């Protein structure tokens, strides 16, 4: 047990250091990228604020003056790093609201959607993957392979619209878009979850096939364990390792990579916000969002590490 | 897979079904493309005003005629330099605080300090005097009351600002108060039972910003949204066959126009701009891209601006041969590849436009194709709309395609003055100035003699039609789908209000 805590502490310390390094690098890189974008930032910010009916050169000049965009880049970067050291992400340049408030709301919705999507994908991938893994190369396995390839190839946008047409417009089971309650979570979760399950059910299947072909599986059977006990005690636990790692990767992808699904379902997530912030040259929002996503990656890696240690006793002994 | 889907469906249905059955219909959901993420009237005023959360001193009806809002009457001094606005008594903000001249002056002074419409008026001071709001000017300006009807001059409560004067809440005097705000997607509203005017019939309402046109059409078809604004052509024609909704298209004072750099050697002769205009397939664009054939813009000001639109103006035509002849007159000769040349220079130009209005890049592609026929090589650059004012300022712009709303204030003189007044404007004339137009605009902005005003408006409209510093392409239609059981819906062509307070559900 002492070994276990020691290894957990090592993981925590390593990831803590990683978090600090990630913050600094993400901050500097996102700042540099925003500076490198073509076009005049004052014009872009004014456009984001006032819209094309009200935006003109006078508005752009007022923005330039208000935000000090004329200052040399190193002064601006230093100012932001100074704020960051005091845990202050500043105000959105476009909306004037505190960045931390916006991120808190949007990150919450993004995490909810990501969680829903992973739950939906596991609901599909685990039973399908285990069933096909126990019967490799069967007719079921081949059909699932074909379906997986098809569903992976369909863009999330198209899948989302098809699901809405069937389950919201025709069957009227769920709302089309928005976020009034848990019923709003189902369709976007399955839109994302089906795409994820198309890959993860094959990961589960391969892990189960490997486990079933292993020596220790044969040993367990030989020593007299029933097929069911072998499966639940040994095979699933071993097969879980690659699956947990893969789910971690998927979660990271989900939190930042679901812009199009957020837009289709009018879901106020962080990916959608990041894209808008980049268009509007909202440097404070872009930096705050990128930083949050970077730290989230570190946190996810930490969770995956700890989960794998929980599942695999060999890692604890090391 | 289907098993888990239907299981999830059953669970969610069980959770959602019971409250739905108990609910009587006293609520509507509105869907539109515009996201709201700010408390600032300068940024989000358009939506805050449309949802009847905050109000202006001056209001306007659907024809653009001014009517009392939070001010009951207004008058200018004899020299036209001082305006007094008498305020409505007994009005309270949603937080219970009283609306008075100090609150109005605070809000208007802030709006005046921001980029926006008040900076375009010759204002020198805004003060409170004996319970009235007094605005002083350094030149007579009759459109001032119309400017105070603009969305960025709505009046938030003093409590809506923090100690530094930054807007931090949505508190107004309107028929609806905000019960929840989830930027950028949604605002929940509840009826303001202490409203000074006729109280709303609905108890609650929800505003949902759905950026994609497909999503909005699906929201309308499924009944999740009761009123959906701004449909794309495909969604609009589909919804017109859906039984539960009614679709409607209302002409609005927005026009798709081409801004031409008249200082550029290719375009400094009005004949060159006329040639460009003759080679615009307006009917085809209106039929195939925006899908309202009657909206081909044969003059700049759309019919919705009834005082500025004129049936007497000679309409702009499409005539490729005439366009070619005009360019030949100017010394342009077709080269080997069909592109015109003059003094060794090819007629190759760049058009700037932006994707926020999805029809603009399509119209740009149609122009590219059509202008090739008259020997103009057009490169289309689709980027941020801020590239257009930026190109105006640094002189690098050739032509730009954009949508201009001349109905931002009930009287369009503010926008017209900005676009065609001295020096032109970021969203108007470039490298073009006409003294007759400048003089006429000065009269329109300052006279209260309606006949004189109308005569000068005709002068401006005629000169713009002949000189074409900005070439009109198509006018806009505001497309809406409405649930058939929803009554009392009035679509405002000036887009100042969604008309929420008038709506009610028909009894079954």
């Amino acid at each position: 047990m002492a070994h276990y805590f020691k290894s957990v502490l090592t993981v925590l310390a390593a990831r803590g250091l990683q978090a600090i390094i990630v913050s600094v690098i993400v901050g500097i890189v996102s700042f540099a990228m925003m500076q490198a974008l073509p076009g005049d930032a004052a014009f872009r910010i004014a456009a984001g604020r006032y819209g094309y009916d009200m935006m003109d050169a006078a508005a752009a000049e007022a923005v330039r003056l208000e935000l000090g965009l004329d200052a040399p880049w190193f002064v601006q970067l230093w100012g932001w790093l100074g704020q960051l050291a005091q845990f202050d992400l500043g105000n959105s340049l476009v909306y004037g609201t505190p960045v931390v408030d916006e991120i808190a709301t949007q990150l919450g919705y993004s995490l909810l959607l990501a969680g829903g999507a992973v739950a939906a994908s596991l609901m599909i991938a685990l039973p399908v993957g285990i069933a096909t893994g126990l019967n490799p190369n069967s007719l079921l396995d081949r059909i699932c392979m074909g379906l997986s390839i098809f569903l992976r190839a369909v863009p999330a946008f198209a899948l989302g619209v098809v699901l809405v047409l069937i389950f919201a417009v025709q069957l009227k089971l769920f709302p089309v878009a928005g976020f009034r309650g848990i019923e709003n979570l189902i369709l976007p979760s399955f839109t994302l979850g089906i795409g994820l399950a198309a890959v993860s059910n094959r990961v589960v299947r391969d892990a189960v096939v490997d486990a079933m072909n292993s020596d220790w599986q044969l040993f367990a059977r030989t020593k007299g364990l029933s097929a069911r006990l072998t499966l639940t005690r040994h095979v699933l636990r071993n097969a879980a390792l690659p699956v947990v790692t893969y789910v971690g990767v998927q979660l990271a992808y989900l939190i930042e990579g679901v812009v199009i699904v957020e837009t289709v379902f009018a879901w106020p997530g962080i990916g959608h916000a990041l894209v808008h912030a980049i268009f509007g040259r909202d440097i404070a929002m872009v930096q705050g969002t990128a930083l949050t996503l970077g730290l989230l990656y570190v946190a996810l890696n930490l969770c995956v590490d700890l989960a794998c240690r929980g599942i695999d006793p060999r890692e604890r002994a090391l | 897979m289907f098993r888990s889907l239907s299981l999830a469906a059953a669970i969610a249905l069980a959770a959602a079904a019971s409250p739905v059955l108990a609910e009587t219909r006293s609520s509507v959901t509105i869907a539109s493309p515009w996201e709201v993420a700010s408390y600032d009237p300068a940024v989000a005023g358009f939506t805050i005003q449309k949802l009847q959360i905050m109000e202006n001193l001056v209001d306007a009806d659907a024809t653009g005629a001014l009517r009392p809002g939070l001010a009951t009457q207004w008058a200018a001094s004899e020299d036209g330099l001082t305006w007094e606005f008498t305020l409505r008594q007994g009005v309270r903000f949603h937080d219970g605080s009283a609306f008075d001249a100090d609150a109005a002056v605070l809000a208007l002074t802030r709006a005046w300090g921001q980029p926006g419409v008040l900076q375009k008026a010759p204002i020198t001071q805004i003060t409170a005097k004996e319970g009235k709001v007094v605005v002083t000017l350094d030149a007579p300006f009759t459109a001032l009351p119309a400017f105070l009807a603009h969305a960025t001059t709505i009046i938030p409560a003093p409590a809506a600002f923090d100690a530094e004067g930054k807007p931090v809440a949505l508190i107004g005097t309107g028929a609806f108060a905000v019960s929840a705000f989830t930027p950028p997607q949604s605002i929940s509203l509840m009826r303001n039972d202490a409203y000074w005017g006729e109280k709303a019939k609905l108890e609650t309402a929800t505003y949902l910003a759905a950026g994609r046109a497909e999503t909005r059409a699906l929201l309308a078809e499924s009944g999740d949204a009761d009123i959906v604004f701004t449909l794309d052509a495909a969604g609009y024609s589909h919804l017109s066959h859906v039984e539960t909704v009614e679709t409607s298209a209302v002409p609005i004072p927005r026009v798709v126009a081409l801004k031409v750099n008249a200082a550029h050697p290719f375009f400094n002769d009005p004949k060159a701009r006329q040639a460009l205009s003759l080679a615009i397939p307006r009917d085809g664009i209106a039929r195939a891209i925006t899908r309202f054939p009657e909206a081909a813009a044969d003059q700049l000001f759309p019919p919705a601006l009834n005082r500025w639109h004129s049936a007497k103006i000679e309409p702009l035509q499409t005539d490729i041969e005439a366009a070619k002849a005009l360019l030949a007159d100017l010394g342009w000769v077709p080269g080997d590849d069909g592109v015109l040349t003059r003094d060794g220079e090819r007629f190759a130009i760049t058009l700037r436009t932006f994707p926020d209005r999805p029809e603009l890049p399509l119209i740009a592609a149609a122009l590219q194709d059509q202008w090739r026929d008259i020997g103009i090589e057009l490169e289309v650059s689709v980027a941020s709309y801020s590239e257009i004012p930026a190109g105006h300022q640094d002189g690098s712009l050739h032509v730009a395609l954009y949508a201009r709303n001349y109905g931002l204030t009930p009287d369009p003189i503010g926008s017209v003055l900005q676009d065609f007044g001295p020096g032109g404007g970021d969203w108007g004339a470039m490298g073009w100035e006409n003294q007759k137009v400048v003089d006429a605009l000065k009269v329109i902005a300052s006279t209260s003699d309606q006949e004189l005003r109308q005569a000068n408006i005709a002068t401006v409209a005629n000169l713009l039609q002949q000189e074409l510093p900005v070439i009109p392409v198509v006018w806009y239609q505001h497309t809406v789908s409405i649930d058939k059981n929803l009554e009392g819906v009035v679509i405002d062509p000036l887009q100042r209000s969604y008309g929420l307070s008038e709506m009610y559900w028909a009894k079954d």
Side-chain angles (χ1 to χ4, degrees):
Chain A
M1 215 53 193
H3 272 304
Y4 178 61
F5 282 118
K6 202 175 155 200
S7 77
V8 167
L9 281 179
T10 318
V11 171
L12 282 176
R15 293 297 182 197
L17 184 67
Q18 196 185 7
I20 295 171
I21 297 172
V22 163
S23 306
V24 175
I25 293 179
V26 165
I28 293 174
V29 169
S30 59
F31 181 85
M33 285 166 78
M34 294 304 285
Q35 293 287 321
L37 285 176
D40 185 332
F43 273 83
R44 296 292 163 90
I45 294 167
R49 270 195 201 176
Y50 305 116
Y52 45 76
D53 284 328
M54 293 303 298
M55 184 265 162
D56 57 18
E61 287 317 308
V63 164
R64 196 191 309 280
L65 206 66
E66 178 199 325
L67 299 176
L69 296 173
D70 272 341
W73 64 266
F74 49 86
V75 174
Q76 295 185 40
L77 177 61
W78 185 249
W80 186 70
L81 287 175
Q83 279 186 335
L84 189 64
Q86 301 166 40
F87 297 99
D88 177 6
L89 294 178
N91 287 337
S92 159
L93 305 189
V94 172
Y95 303 121
T97 45
V99 167
V100 71
D101 289 0
E102 288 205 29
I103 290 178
T105 316
Q106 288 153 352
L107 186 64
Y109 280 106
S110 276
L111 289 177
L112 196 62
L113 180 56
V118 166
S121 85
L122 290 180
M123 269 161 75
I124 301 165
L126 285 183
V128 173
I130 293 171
T132 50
L134 292 176
N135 305 288
N137 302 322
S138 62
L139 180 64
L140 176 74
D141 189 19
R142 281 156 213 250
I143 292 175
C144 287
M145 180 70 179
L147 258 179
S148 296
I149 292 173
F150 173 73
L151 288 172
R152 188 71 198 92
V154 176
F157 166 72
L159 191 61
V161 172
V162 169
L163 289 185
V164 167
L165 276 173
I166 298 174
F167 294 100
V169 176
Q170 294 301 325
L171 301 178
K172 302 209 181 291
L173 291 176
F174 304 107
V176 173
F179 47 97
R180 280 187 208 176
I182 201 71
E183 67 273 16
N184 279 107
L185 187 58
I186 309 287
L187 287 183
S189 293
F190 273 89
T191 301
L192 288 165
I194 288 171
L196 295 179
V199 181
S200 57
N201 88 78
R202 302 312 292 174
V203 174
V204 174
R205 176 220 177 252
D206 290 347
V208 171
V209 169
D210 281 351
M212 289 302 286
N213 290 334
S214 64
D215 294 340
W216 46 259
Q217 191 270 343
L218 191 64
F219 176 74
R221 292 286 286 156
T222 316
K223 79 177 177 188
L225 282 185
S226 69
R228 202 173 133 255
L229 277 179
T230 312
L231 179 71
T232 50
R233 276 200 201 158
H234 295 282
V235 174
L236 290 187
R237 188 161 187 159
N238 273 284
L241 274 178
V243 175
V244 166
T245 312
Y246 188 70
V247 167
V249 174
Q250 281 187 329
L251 256 175
Y253 149 80
L254 276 173
I255 290 165
E256 67 182 74
V258 296
V259 180
I260 189 73
V261 173
E262 287 178 354
T263 311
V264 168
F265 289 98
W267 189 268
I270 203 165
H272 178 82
L274 179 61
V275 169
H276 274 247
I278 293 173
F279 281 140
R281 209 60 71 82
D282 193 340
I283 304 166
M285 261 307 278
V286 171
Q287 285 172 323
T289 312
L291 185 70
T292 310
L293 291 176
L295 290 178
L296 209 61
Y297 255 102
V298 177
L300 276 174
N301 277 329
L302 177 67
C303 292
V304 169
D305 282 356
L306 293 179
C308 287
R309 273 174 170 69
I311 294 168
D312 188 349
R314 286 169 301 181
E315 299 229 7
R316 290 176 231 169
L318 288 176
Chain B
M1 186 182 86
F2 275 101
R3 202 185 205 172
S4 33
L5 265 180
S6 50
L7 182 69
I11 294 168
L13 190 66
S18 36
V20 169
L21 289 177
E23 201 178 301
T24 53
R25 304 214 78 182
S26 60
S27 179
V28 300
T29 298
I30 289 185
S32 114
W34 316 116
E35 295 189 346
V36 203
S38 177
Y39 300 101
D40 192 341
V43 179
F46 295 96
T47 308
I48 300 172
Q49 183 192 50
K50 280 201 261 258
L51 291 172
Q52 295 171 282
I53 299 166
M54 296 181 197
E55 299 172 295
N56 298 78
L57 293 192
V58 180
D59 195 13
D61 67 14
T63 68
L66 300 182
R67 61 185 180 194
L70 290 176
T72 49
Q73 50 183 325
W74 48 88
S77 61
E78 219 155 273
D79 60 3
L81 296 178
T82 309
W83 283 82
E84 284 193 351
F85 294 83
T86 308
L87 302 185
R88 196 174 289 281
Q89 296 299 306
V91 176
R92 294 201 165 269
F93 288 107
H94 298 147
D95 63 352
S97 60
F99 162 75
D100 56 19
D102 289 335
V105 168
L106 177 75
L108 293 177
T109 307
R110 188 179 180 281
W112 180 35
Q114 300 269 323
V117 63
L118 290 187
Q119 291 197 347
K120 317 292 180 200
I123 298 174
T124 55
Q125 204 180 24
I126 302 173
T127 49
K129 199 178 101 190
E130 295 159 10
K132 293 178 179 177
V133 172
V134 180
V135 182
T136 46
L137 310 172
D138 57 19
F141 191 69
T142 45
L144 183 72
F147 275 35
L148 293 182
H150 188 263
T152 58
T153 61
I154 46 177
I155 312 289
F161 299 99
D162 69 6
E164 293 157 19
K166 202 159 66 82
V168 289
L170 297 175
I171 308 170
T173 52
F176 285 91
V178 174
S179 56
F181 179 30
T182 316
Q185 240 85 27
S186 163
I187 301 182
S188 302
L189 303 169
M190 57 187 182
R191 179 169 61 204
N192 172 11
D193 285 318
Y195 186 54
W196 59 265
E198 193 173 330
K199 289 168 193 56
K201 299 176 178 77
L202 298 168
E203 281 170 25
T204 57
T206 305
Y207 174 82
L208 180 67
R212 293 202 68 91
E214 297 87 348
T215 308
R216 291 196 298 281
L218 290 166
L219 280 166
E221 186 175 1
S222 69
D224 279 0
D226 307 304
I227 313 173
V228 176
F229 286 92
T230 315
L231 299 156
D232 62 352
Y236 185 78
S237 65
H238 173 71
L239 286 173
S240 60
H241 302 295
V242 172
E243 266 182 30
T244 51
V245 301
E246 222 165 291
T247 49
S248 131
V250 180
I252 54 171
R254 186 185 281 285
V255 57
V256 174
L258 264 178
K259 169 192 177 84
V260 185
N261 179 357
H264 191 279
F266 291 2
F267 306 117
N268 55 11
D269 193 311
K271 278 187 192 165
R273 303 193 294 269
Q274 283 156 7
L276 291 186
S277 170
L278 284 166
I280 296 174
R282 292 184 180 82
D283 286 326
I285 291 169
R287 226 179 17 249
I289 298 179
T290 58
R291 304 218 194 162
F292 291 100
E294 66 279 16
D298 51 24
Q299 58 180 292
L300 183 63
F301 299 113
L305 288 175
N306 50 23
R307 291 183 191 84
W308 289 72
H309 180 84
S310 165
K312 290 183 202 145
I313 274 185
E314 173 92 11
L316 296 173
Q317 307 282 348
T318 302
D319 184 341
I320 298 295
E321 292 312 315
K324 284 182 180 167
L326 279 175
L327 291 172
D329 278 356
L330 293 172
W332 290 100
V333 185
D336 297 336
D337 57 356
V339 175
L340 296 173
T341 57
R342 187 174 70 182
D343 306 330
E345 235 182 333
R346 279 162 65 82
F347 205 139
I349 53 172
T350 303
L351 177 146
R352 296 188 194 184
T353 189
F354 51 89
D356 301 55
R357 289 197 167 259
E359 61 281 0
L360 292 180
L362 297 177
I363 295 174
L367 293 179
Q368 189 177 38
D369 188 55
Q370 193 79 55
W371 287 2
R372 198 189 309 278
D373 285 355
I374 59 167
I376 297 176
E377 187 176 67
L378 185 69
E379 192 191 325
V380 174
S381 156
V382 182
S384 159
Y385 46 82
S386 64
E387 289 300 311
I388 295 173
H392 177 100
Q393 294 299 322
D394 66 17
S396 62
L397 188 84
H398 297 155
V399 286
L401 184 74
Y402 55 92
R404 182 79 169 133
N405 186 354
Y406 283 105
L408 287 175
T409 49
D411 184 325
I413 178 64
S415 310
V416 180
L417 198 58
Q418 212 177 321
D419 290 356
F420 303 106
D426 287 343
W427 298 101
M430 177 174 182
W432 177 91
E433 197 177 302
N434 182 306
Q435 198 51 46
K436 282 185 193 157
V437 170
V438 171
D439 293 343
L441 288 175
K442 209 180 274 175
V443 176
I444 299 167
S446 58
T447 183
S448 42
D449 176 344
Q450 282 309 315
E451 223 165 284
L452 181 65
R453 196 166 195 270
Q454 214 51 49
N456 280 282
I457 287 176
T459 308
V460 171
N462 275 315
L463 283 168
L464 292 181
Q465 189 84 341
Q466 289 159 24
E467 293 265 324
L468 293 172
V470 165
I471 307 174
V473 181
V474 284
W475 299 313
Y476 266 97
Q477 307 278 321
H478 196 32
T479 48
V480 190
S481 91
I482 306 157
D483 188 298
K484 278 203 172 139
N485 290 319
L486 191 59
E487 307 270 349
V489 181
V490 181
I491 307 302
D492 179 5
L494 294 176
Q495 296 175 279
R496 295 171 44 80
S497 170
Y498 289 132
L500 272 176
S501 64
E502 313 277 311
M503 293 175 196
Y504 59 95
W505 287 99
K507 294 198 177 70
D508 293 327

